[in-house]
């Protein structure tokens, strides 16, 4: 077995970093692994003394774990992979026991009903808590973003929009200007006009941005290193069965919630949508502690976390159905039908909670509400597909550039100065963003502006077309019009904003602050789509007699909707980066309410995925999983090599023999020596060293806890005591110390394959059953073992990658 990381210097220390994988570096941060608040500590209180004391005749009583379960047996250390089969079996046994007892008494029946209802109650609490936190984050981020430009005299806690709501001096053309809202130049200099006032506003904008980002990175570094980044790659790994203690704990939740507001408000090119998935999963994990069924079973807890991931997207975008599909398509490893129903319920509760808080102040749940008045034409599929191609190319470029930058951050001195890096990137972002009105505004506000369909009452620079005579029709649609000077100015500004966003997002994603990728990716696509949409609009206006426009675009008609192109472009770019398909289309449909435009969205999404897959198979989250070396078997990756189990198993020919335990021939001292001299996560149990006939498999952690427990609670257990894994204990010589019967901690049905089993079948078994290890036999004799890490290293080797990249830093 090649599961390095189990370092048992002394038997009495179970906090020695033991794991079946190596230690891991999350997003390159220097981490404090002492926080275990997302996994309940083991009950190791043995102070009650000799409950395993003497029998009726004073003879030492034989310790049998089948009768007396030992606290801690069956749990996992940090950075372990859980055994899905064992966890599901434990839950089935628990459910069977409750069902049997429910027929015995009314109280047992009530406990059975409570147990069945606990899952739905937990989903309700997760939805309420996540929705409330998301509403608070939205309101706080909006206020702090506006704080960089000015302050409200009526109350500093009002953002710009709320400050001007009740003002009688506000005009429709200048709806954002009111006497109650003062820019920093007006407060300090007394005027908002002139170069000095501009410099003062510029300086305050940069200073506030630096302050927010400094607070964010300092809080993350000091209190919760796990709060940095998006969190989705780690959540995918956790949902696949890996344990990272503290990653979903209360400190991470608290710091991520606070620093997410600060990071978004600083103006960095990042979003809050991805980190909200992490926040929701923290809520789900913490609330699991209220219910024994989920607290004591890692597989059941992951069902809750899958639903929590759906809740995160639901509150991020106001898209409950899209959130469920996102969890199913993108992050979940095991997603039974029961989890689908509960995810839907939790996402519904979260969306209702967010709607009750009304963080956007417009009585709508969705982040970007659009209302297009004209239908799209079949020939417009050509520019929509072009946007899909652009999104695929951008996605592949972004992934390669970002991974190269993150690898540089991990392998050079740059990674030693996370605070300085964040401050430098923030300063560059703020200095370049302020002069351009489209980069100065928040990214969500920019996307909303680009999605907007110009109407008669719009005063935006993007809608300042040349005046033409407009005849009132049955709809509110305006005919295509020639672009005015302001529109051309806006196009130049948007072109510069596109280049700026594409470059700055590469270095921003992955810094030591909470950083989501959904909104920046959508912004790049929305800018490109709006530019193409305005171009198509002007082409149709000036050349409506061309063949491509003649049949459907007559003079004075509303033919092209630039906002629709922005929406399609945003979908294409987000799909190119994440490789989402079905869930992305549904999210965009819920996000904008544009039911009529599902076909353009589908065409752009599929084109984007095909182009991006042709340039690189991995999405951004899979790429970061591989960069950090997480033990994750990607279900999308095909295994096409003709290798056999004997080619991958350990030990190899040059390795020492496989470490095994015999079922009735080893003493406590011999087993302790075997554990101290090796670093394996478990040991096969065989009949004897000569026969090598397989009996079962015992986990290292269970073995350590059981021996330690027996030494403390069973009289007479010494190093010479024999350990038995047999069903019946053979007679012992007189005056021999009492033996230990540990058959109860042994897995009697470990998964086995023959040495000639094809590796593609072995990989499928590991993926679909969530195995930690699989034993290899030949005619019933034990030959070796295959672990998940062995498979990952073999797959990396077959793909001409460094197999040691799977080792954790």
């Amino acid at each position: 077995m090649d599961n390095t990381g189990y370092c048992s210097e002394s038997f009495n220390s179970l906090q020695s970093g033991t794991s079946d994988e190596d230690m891991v570096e999350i997003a390159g941060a220097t981490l404090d692994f002492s926080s275990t608040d997302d996994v309940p500590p083991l009950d190791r209180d043995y102070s009650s003394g000799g409950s395993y004391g003497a029998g009726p005749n004073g003879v030492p009583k034989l310790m049998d774990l089948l009768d007396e379960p030992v606290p801690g047996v069956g749990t996992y250390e940090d950075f372990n992979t859980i055994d899905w089969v064992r966890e599901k079996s434990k839950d089935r046994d628990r459910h069977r026991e409750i069902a049997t007892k429910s027929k015995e008494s009314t109280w047992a029946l009530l406990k059975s009903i409570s147990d069945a209802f606990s899952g739905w109650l937990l989903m309700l609490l997760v939805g309420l808590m996540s929705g409330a936190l998301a509403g608070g984050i939205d309101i706080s981020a909006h206020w702090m973003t506006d704080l960089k430009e000015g302050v409200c005299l009526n109350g500093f806690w009002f953002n710009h929009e709320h400050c001007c709501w009740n003002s009688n001096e506000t005009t429709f053309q200048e709806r954002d200007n009111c006497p109650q809202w003062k820019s920093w130049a007006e407060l300090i200099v007394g005027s908002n006009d002139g170069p000095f006032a501009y410099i003062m506003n510029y300086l305050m904008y940069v200073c506030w941005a630096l302050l927010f980002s400094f607070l964010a990175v300092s809080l993350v570094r000091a209190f919760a290193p796990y709060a940095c980044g998006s969190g989705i790659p780690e959540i995918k790994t956790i949902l696949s069965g890996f344990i990272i203690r503290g990653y979903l704990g209360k400190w991470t939740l608290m710091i991520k919630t606070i620093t997410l507001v600060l990071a978004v408000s600083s103006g960095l090119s990042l979003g809050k949508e991805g980190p909200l998935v992490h926040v929701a999963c923290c809520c789900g994990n913490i609330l699991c502690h209220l219910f024994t069924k989920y607290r004591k079973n890692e597989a059941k807890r992951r069902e809750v976390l899958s639903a929590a991931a759906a809740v995160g997207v639901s509150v991020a975008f106001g898209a409950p159905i899209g959130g469920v599909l996102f969890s199913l398509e993108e992050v979940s490893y095991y997603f039974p039908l029961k989890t689908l129903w509960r995810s839907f319920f939790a996402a519904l509760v979260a969306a209702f909670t967010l709607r009750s808080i009304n963080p956007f102040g417009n009585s709508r749940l969705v982040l970007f509400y659009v209302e297009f008045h004209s239908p799209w034409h079949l020939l417009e599929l050509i520019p929509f597909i072009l946007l899909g191609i652009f999104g695929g190319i951008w996605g592949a470029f972004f992934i390669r550039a970002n991974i190269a930058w993150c690898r540089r951050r991990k392998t050079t001195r740059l990674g030693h100065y996370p605070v300085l890096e964040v401050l430098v990137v923030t300063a560059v972002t703020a200095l370049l963003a302020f002069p351009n009105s489209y980069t100065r505004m928040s990214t969500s506000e920019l996307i909303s502006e680009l999605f907007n369909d110009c109407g008669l009452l719009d005063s935006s620079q993007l809608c300042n077309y040349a005046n033409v005579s407009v005849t009132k029709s049955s709809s509110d649609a305006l005919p295509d019009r020639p672009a005015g000077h302001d529109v051309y100015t806006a196009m130049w500004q948007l072109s510069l904003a596109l280049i700026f966003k594409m470059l700055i997002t590469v270095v921003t994603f992955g810094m030591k602050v909470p950083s989501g990728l959904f909104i920046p990716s959508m912004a790049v696509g929305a800018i490109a789509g709006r530019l193409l949409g305005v171009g198509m609009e002007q082409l149709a206006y000036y050349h409506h007699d061309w063949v491509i426009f003649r049949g459907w675009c007559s003079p004075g008609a509303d033919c092209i909707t630039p906002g629709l192109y922005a929406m399609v472009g945003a979908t294409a770019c987000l799909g190119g980066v994440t490789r989402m398909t079905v869930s992305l289309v549904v999210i965009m449909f819920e996000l904008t309410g544009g039911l009529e435009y599902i076909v353009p969205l589908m065409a752009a999404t599929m084109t984007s995925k095909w182009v991006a897959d042709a340039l690189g198979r991995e999405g951004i989250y899979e790429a970061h999983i591989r960069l950090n070396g997480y033990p994750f078997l990607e279900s999308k990756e095909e295994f096409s090599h003709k290798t056999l189990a004997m080619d991958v198993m350990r030990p190899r020919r040059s390795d020492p023999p496989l470490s095994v335990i015999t079922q009735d021939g080893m003493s406590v001292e011999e087993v302790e020596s075997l554990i101290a001299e090796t670093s394996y996560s478990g040991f096969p149990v065989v009949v004897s060293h000569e026969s090598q006939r397989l009996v079962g498999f015992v986990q290292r952690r269970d073995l350590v806890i059981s021996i330690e427990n027996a030494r403390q609670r069973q009289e007479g257990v010494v190093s010479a005591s024999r350990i038995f894994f047999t069903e019946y204990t053979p007679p012992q010589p007189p005056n021999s110390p009492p033996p230990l019967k540990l058959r109860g901690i042994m897995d009697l049905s470990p998964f086995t394959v023959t040495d000639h089993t094809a590796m593609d079948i072995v990989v499928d078994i590991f993926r679909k059953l969530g195995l930690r290890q699989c034993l290899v036999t030949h005619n019933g004799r034990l030959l070796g073992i295959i672990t998940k890490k062995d498979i990952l290293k073999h797959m990396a080797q077959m793909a001409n990658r460094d197999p040691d990249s799977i080792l954790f830093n």
Side-chain angles (χ1 to χ4, degrees), residues 122 137 177 319 331 340 519 729:
L122 179 56
I137 289 171
N177 294 331
V331 297
L340 178 70
I519 291 296
T729 306

Side-chain angles (χ1 to χ4, degrees), residues 759-800:
M759 271 308 295
D760 56 341
I761 296 176
V762 177
V763 171
D764 268 349
I765 291 173
F766 269 82
R767 280 175 179 158
K768 293 173 180 176
L769 295 180
L771 299 184
R772 301 176 74 184
Q773 67 276 318
C774 182
L775 301 174
V776 183
T777 61
H778 178 77
N779 293 337
R781 285 173 54 88
L782 178 66
L783 288 185
I785 189 167
I786 298 176
T787 66
K788 182 189 280 190
K789 187 167 139 185
D790 293 329
I791 290 178
L792 288 165
K793 293 179 85 170
H794 179 68
M795 292 173 73
Q797 200 169 9
M798 293 292 101
N800 295 319

Side-chain angles (χ1 to χ4, degrees), residues 193-242:
D193 300 321
F196 190 68
Y198 181 84
I199 292 171
M200 182 56 64
N201 283 329
Y202 201 156
L203 185 63
M204 292 300 294
Y205 181 91
V206 175
C207 289
W208 278 110
L210 288 171
L211 175 63
F212 291 156
S213 62
F214 175 74
L215 289 174
V217 69
S218 300
L219 287 171
V220 166
R221 191 182 186 197
F223 297 105
Y226 283 151
C228 68
S230 164
I232 293 180
E234 288 76 18
I235 287 168
K236 287 187 69 164
T237 309
I238 290 171
L239 289 178
S240 73
F242 199 56

Side-chain angles (χ1 to χ4, degrees), residues 598-677:
I598 281 185
V599 173
L601 295 176
M602 291 173 67
T605 302
M606 286 311 304
T607 305
S608 171
K609 178 174 171 56
W610 288 333
V611 172
D613 282 348
L615 299 174
R617 296 292 298 176
E618 290 179 324
I620 185 65
Y621 302 129
E622 291 79 13
H624 272 271
I625 286 172
R626 186 160 61 84
L627 175 70
N628 290 321
Y630 300 145
F632 183 76
L633 271 176
E634 176 57 61
S635 57
K636 301 171 187 173
E637 188 176 353
E638 296 181 2
F639 188 89
S640 56
H641 307 285
K642 295 182 179 179
T643 50
L644 302 177
M646 67 171 70
D647 302 322
V648 181
M649 73 176 188
R650 303 281 180 155
R652 305 284 170 82
R653 289 175 182 171
S654 58
D655 293 342
L658 188 66
S659 299
V660 297
I661 295 175
T662 56
Q663 66 175 353
D664 58 3
M666 297 182 72
S667 66
V668 169
E669 183 179 18
E670 290 171 333
V671 173
E672 287 181 342
S673 298
L674 179 65
I675 294 173
E677 293 167 3

Side-chain angles (χ1 to χ4, degrees), residues 337-357:
L337 192 59
K338 179 172 58 178
T339 304
L340 178 70
W341 299 333
R342 290 179 176 172
S343 300
F344 184 76
F345 173 69
L348 174 68
V349 172
F352 174 78
T353 305
L354 188 65
R355 170 66 181 78
S356 303
I357 295 173

